[in-house]
C-alpha cells in the first residue's frame, strides 16, 4: 500500500482525541500499517478517560476479537438478569475492557506517537491548530472528541453512575448481573448493573433509560450504597467512580448530520454506537478495521469512509430506532421495564443477535409476537410515526 504523506506534511494521520475509537484506530494501524506516521492528540494526561467498555462475545468476529483481546481485562461465560417477573442466566460470554488497560496497551504500542495535555482549538481535514498556537499538518485528520450537539438527530438517554467497590468479604458472584430491574423504577427504566472484577471487588452501576440527560450524582451514590447494603454486603472501600450519559437514538436525518466541513469523524462523533444499548466498542473495532483496510488514507477518502460507515449503520438500525421509540414513547416511564423483561424471554441466539445489531426477520417477528409489553394505542401511535424525519 502506498504512503499518503507529502514532504510538507508533518504526519500521515492525526487523531484528535485519545478515546476508544481513535485509540483503536491508532492501534490497528500500528499493527497492519506500521510505516504510517500517526499522531494521537489527547487533552488529558491519560488515554481513554475513566471508563469500562463491555461487549458480548457474539458482538465481534473471531478475527476482530483476537486483535482486541489485549485490551480485555475481565471475561465471563454468561450473565444474569432479574426483573419483577423473570430471572434468567444467559449463556453468552461477556467481556470488559478498562481505560487503565487501554492506556497501558496503547502507550506501549504507540510510544512517542501520543501527545498529552494538548487541546485543539481548530480541527480541519488536514490540519489542527492547538490552543498554544502550534499548527500541525497531516494528509488527514480524524475528529474523535466524543458526541457533539446536533439538531439533526433526536435522542433519549442512558445515564449511569458507577462505583467500583471492595467489600469486607467475598461477594459470591460468578458472572455479571447485566440488569437487576427489581429495584424501584425511577426516572424511566432503572436497573443496577454489576461486574464482579474479583472475589471481593465489583463495579456497581445505577443506570437509567431516561428522557433527559440530567444526572444527580449524590442521589445515585446514595441509591447504589443502599442497594449494596440491602443485598447484605458491607463496603470496605470505594476504589473509584465513573459516570456516563449515552445517547439513545430515536429519530433523525443522517444525511443532514454529515453536512458541513468534510472532516472525518469517529466514535460517538460519527454516530457509531448501538442505538439501543449505547455500547460503542464493537463499532469502534469495526471502524478501525475498515480504516486499516483502505488503500487511500487521504482526508477525502477517510471522510467518505467514515460517513459511509455511519450512514450504512443508520439504515441497518431503523428497526432498533422503532424499538427505542416504543420504549420511550408508547407507555408510562415506570412501565418501560416490561419491554426488557419480555425481551429476555426470547431465545439466546436472538438475544445475541440483538446486541450485535444483526437481527433477522424472524427475530424481529419474535419481538412483536404475543401480548404486547406496551399499551396497544401507544404502540400504534409510534408505528404510524415511521414516515417522520428518519431516513
Amino acid at each position: 500500500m502506498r504512503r499518503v504523506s507529502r514532504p510538507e506534511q508533518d504526519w500521515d494521520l492525526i487523531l484528535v482525541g485519545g478515546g476508544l475509537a481513535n485509540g483503536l484506530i491508532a492501534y490497528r494501524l500500528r499493527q497492519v500499517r506500521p510505516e504510517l506516521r500517526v499522531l494521537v492528540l489527547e487533552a488529558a494526561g491519560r488515554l481513554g478517560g475513566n471508563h469500562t467498555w463491555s461487549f458480548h462475545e457474539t458482538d465481534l468476529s473471531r478475527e476482530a476479537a483476537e486483535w482486541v483481546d489485549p485490551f480485555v481485562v475481565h471475561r465471563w461465560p454468561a450473565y444474569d438478569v432479574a426483573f419483577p417477573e423473570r430471572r434468567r442466566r444467559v449463556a453468552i460470554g461477556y467481556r470488559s475492557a478498562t481505560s487503565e488497560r487501554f492506556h497501558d496497551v496503547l502507550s506501549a504500542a504507540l510510544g512517542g506517537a501520543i501527545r498529552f495535555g494538548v487541546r485543539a482549538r481548530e480541527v480541519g481535514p488536514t490540519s489542527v491548530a492547538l490552543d498554544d498556537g502550534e499548527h500541525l499538518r497531516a494528509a488527514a485528520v480524524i475528529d474523535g472528541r466524543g458526541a457533539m450537539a446536533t439538531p439533526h438527530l433526536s435522542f433519549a438517554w442512558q445515564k449511569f453512575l458507577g462505583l467500583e467497590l471492595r467489600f469486607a468479604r467475598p461477594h459470591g458472584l460468578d458472572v455479571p448481573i447485566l440488569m437487576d430491574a427489581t429495584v424501584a423504577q425511577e426516572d424511566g427504566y432503572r436497573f443496577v448493573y454489576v461486574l464482579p472484577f474479583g472475589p471481593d471487588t465489583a463495579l456497581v452501576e445505577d443506570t437509567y433509560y431516561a428522557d433527559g440527560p440530567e444526572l444527580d450524582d449524590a442521589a445515585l451514590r446514595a441509591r447504589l450504597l443502599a442497594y449494596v447494603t440491602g443485598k447484605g454486603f458491607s463496603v470496605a472501600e470505594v476504589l473509584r467512580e465513573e459516570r456516563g450519559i449515552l445517547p439513545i437514538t430515536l429519530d433523525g436525518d443522517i444525511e443532514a448530520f454529515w453536512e458541513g466541513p468534510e472532516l472525518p469523524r469517529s466514535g460517538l462523533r460519527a454516530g457509531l454506537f448501538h442505538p439501543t444499548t449505547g455500547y460503542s466498542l464493537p463499532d469502534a473495532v469495526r471502524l478501525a478495521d475498515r480504516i486499516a483496510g483502505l488503500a487511500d488514507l487521504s482526508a477525502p477518502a477517510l471522510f467518505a469512509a467514515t460517513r459511509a460507515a455511519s450512514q450504512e449503520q443508520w439504515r441497518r438500525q431503523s428497526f432498533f430506532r422503532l424499538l427505542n421509540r416504543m420504549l420511550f414513547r408508547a407507555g408510562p416511564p415506570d412501565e418501560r421495564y416490561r419491554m426488557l423483561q419480555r425481551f429476555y424471554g426470547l431465545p439466546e441466539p436472538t438475544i445475541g443477535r440483538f446486541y450485535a445489531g444483526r437481527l433477522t426477520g424472524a427475530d424481529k417477528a419474535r419481538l412483536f409476537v404475543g401480548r404486547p409489553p406496551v399499551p396497544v394505542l401507544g404502540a400504534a401511535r409510534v408505528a404510524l410515526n415511521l414516515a417522520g424525519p428518519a431516513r
Side-chain angles (χ1 to χ4, degrees):
M1 296 183 179
R2 66 181 179 86
R3 290 184 63 87
V4 295
S5 60
R6 298 190 299 272
E8 69 270 18
Q9 294 166 340
D10 302 310
W11 305 92
D12 295 320
L13 179 64
I14 295 176
L15 297 155
V16 183
L20 179 66
N22 273 0
L24 292 181
I25 291 168
Y27 182 79
R28 191 60 172 150
L29 286 173
R30 179 56 57 94
Q31 284 186 318
V32 302
R33 308 276 300 272
E35 77 280 2
L36 294 175
R37 295 178 299 167
V38 177
L39 176 66
V40 178
L41 302 177
E42 171 53 45
R46 292 181 63 84
L47 298 170
N50 177 30
H51 298 288
T52 303
W53 300 286
S54 297
F55 62 100
H56 300 75
E57 66 177 4
T58 51
D59 291 347
L60 298 177
S61 68
R62 180 177 56 82
E63 295 78 11
E66 286 178 354
W67 73 257
V68 170
D69 193 64
F71 298 97
V72 176
V73 180
H74 305 286
R75 300 167 178 83
W76 303 274
Y79 61 86
D80 291 337
V81 294
F83 297 89
E85 299 171 16
R86 186 185 303 280
R87 293 175 183 269
R88 182 178 182 183
R89 175 159 293 191
V90 180
I92 297 175
Y94 200 65
R95 310 285 184 260
S96 289
T98 64
S99 53
E100 182 178 13
R101 174 69 65 84
F102 182 80
H103 172 84
D104 291 345
V105 171
L106 280 178
S107 295
L110 302 178
I114 310 167
R115 290 182 59 179
F116 294 103
V118 293
R119 293 187 177 275
R121 176 170 48 83
E122 294 181 9
V123 179
T126 60
S127 65
V128 180
L130 304 181
D131 272 354
D132 63 4
E134 183 179 4
H135 283 73
L136 303 174
R137 299 165 298 174
V141 173
I142 297 179
D143 190 352
R145 292 176 292 172
M148 61 182 184
T150 174
H152 304 300
L153 305 182
S154 174
F155 299 116
W157 307 95
Q158 181 195 161
K159 55 191 182 182
F160 62 88
L161 183 135
L163 300 176
E164 186 174 346
L165 304 172
R166 184 174 64 83
F167 300 107
R169 62 182 185 276
H171 48 61
L173 297 174
D174 58 343
V175 299
I177 303 171
L178 216 62
M179 292 183 179
D180 182 354
T182 63
V183 295
Q185 295 298 295
E186 304 175 47
D187 195 14
Y189 170 46
R190 178 191 176 209
F191 62 91
V192 175
Y193 173 76
V194 184
L195 297 179
F197 285 167
D200 62 351
T201 60
L203 175 65
V204 187
E205 292 183 351
D206 198 8
T207 306
Y208 299 78
Y209 273 62
D211 297 305
E214 301 78 19
L215 197 62
D216 186 338
D217 291 21
L220 269 63
R221 283 189 206 102
R223 289 176 195 168
L224 270 180
L225 294 174
Y227 172 86
V228 172
T229 302
K231 295 295 182 181
F233 297 112
S234 175
V235 175
E237 184 181 5
V238 177
L239 301 175
R240 68 182 184 93
E241 177 178 307
E242 65 178 81
R243 69 195 301 275
I245 302 172
L246 304 176
I248 301 298
T249 313
L250 300 177
D251 218 334
D253 183 339
I254 195 63
E255 282 79 17
F257 175 70
W258 280 91
E259 290 175 354
E262 295 191 350
L263 174 63
R265 305 182 217 158
S266 67
L268 296 183
R269 210 167 190 87
L272 289 170
F273 55 91
H274 193 292
T276 302
T277 68
Y279 284 28
S280 56
L281 187 144
D283 286 304
V285 170
R286 286 188 281 267
L287 183 64
D289 270 331
R290 185 171 187 149
I291 288 173
L294 294 175
D296 183 0
L297 290 181
S298 66
L302 277 175
F303 175 75
T306 56
R307 179 180 60 182
S310 173
Q311 294 180 342
E312 289 165 11
Q313 177 158 295
W314 180 270
R315 288 188 285 272
R316 289 193 302 267
Q317 292 175 342
S318 61
F319 183 80
F320 291 89
R321 294 193 297 277
L322 170 60
L323 292 179
N324 294 347
R325 294 195 296 274
M326 291 280 189
L327 178 65
F328 283 92
R329 296 176 178 173
D334 61 356
E335 295 289 312
R336 288 173 184 166
Y337 77 91
R338 295 187 182 278
M339 280 191 67
L340 281 301
Q341 178 174 263
R342 185 178 183 280
F343 168 76
Y344 272 107
L346 296 173
E348 282 182 357
T350 296
I351 293 172
R353 288 190 290 270
F354 173 86
Y355 280 107
R358 298 191 298 265
L359 288 174
T360 66
D363 293 331
K364 294 174 183 178
R366 289 188 188 100
L367 286 165
F368 286 107
V369 169
R371 182 180 177 183
V374 296
V376 173
L377 290 178
R381 286 195 298 269
V382 170
L384 290 172
N385 190 43
L386 284 174
R391 292 188 189 176

